Amino acid sequence: EAAREAVRLRRALAEASPAAYTPDLAMSLNNLANRFSAVGNRNAALEAACEAVELYRGLAEASPAAYTPNLAASLNNLANILSAVGERNEALEAAREAVELYRGLAEASPAAYAPDLAASLNNLANILSEVGERNEALEAARKAVELYRGLAEASPVAYTPRLAGSLTNLAIRLSEVGERNEALEAAREAVELYRGLAEASPAAYTPRLAGSLTNLANILSEVGERNEALEAAREAV
């Protein structure tokens, strides 16, 4: 209800003063799309997300430096909603465009946009996997891990959790293409990183450690290490 009202107010402002309020309207539409998605109204979420992308696209054409990052983020949001409603090919198109935009931004300003590029690559990997493009999904997941590894070396507190999550994603993508030994290596590293994080911050990271252990157990089972798989699964439980 609050998100709807914000969109109504900003739409009226943007109609009166487009230059001043169109960016705020686009932001509010993305927020509304997420709220719709959270309550399961995915078609309404898709409509709001599409309008947000359309507005940001116009803004980015007029002022690329100011609004290309917003367009890229909005495209990722749209890709996720499209995927949720089963429009996976269109979701893939939006996710690819988001990666390309972030790639350009990261080339110009690595410190500012490498994290966004890494997150966008993981998102792209997931959608590629959903449409059966598993080799390309693996390539995107590898690149995301590479970026997060560099970021985590420079800023461990900020990026070790993201590296761990990206390694879990990589392990799944590797397993999908039959690279189970390499998948096992990535899954083990993810567990070790989450274990360290959970020791320091149990409330924040114990759930992720448990999820990572479950993933490790599944991959251990696939490679025939069933006793170790059982041990990881028991710990997860």
Side-chain angles (χ1 to χ4, degrees), residues 168 187-188 190-192 194-195 206-220 228-237:
T168 297
R188 285 189 195 278
V191 165
E192 288 313 303
Y194 277 132
R195 197 180 298 285
T206 299
R208 297 189 189 183
L209 173 58
S212 192
L213 281 161
T214 299
N215 188 53
L216 175 61
N218 291 337
I219 296 170
L220 283 162
E228 194 178 350
L230 179 57
E231 182 181 348
R234 283 191 197 276
E235 185 182 356
V237 167

Side-chain angles (χ1 to χ4, degrees), residues 173-212:
R173 303 287 82 82
L174 284 161
S175 183
E176 285 176 345
V177 299
E179 296 288 347
R180 288 174 178 153
N181 288 328
E182 195 178 350
L184 182 55
E185 184 180 346
R188 285 189 195 278
E189 185 181 358
V191 165
E192 288 313 303
L193 290 176
Y194 277 132
R195 197 180 298 285
L197 290 163
E199 286 171 2
S201 301
Y205 293 109
T206 299
R208 297 189 189 183
L209 173 58
S212 192

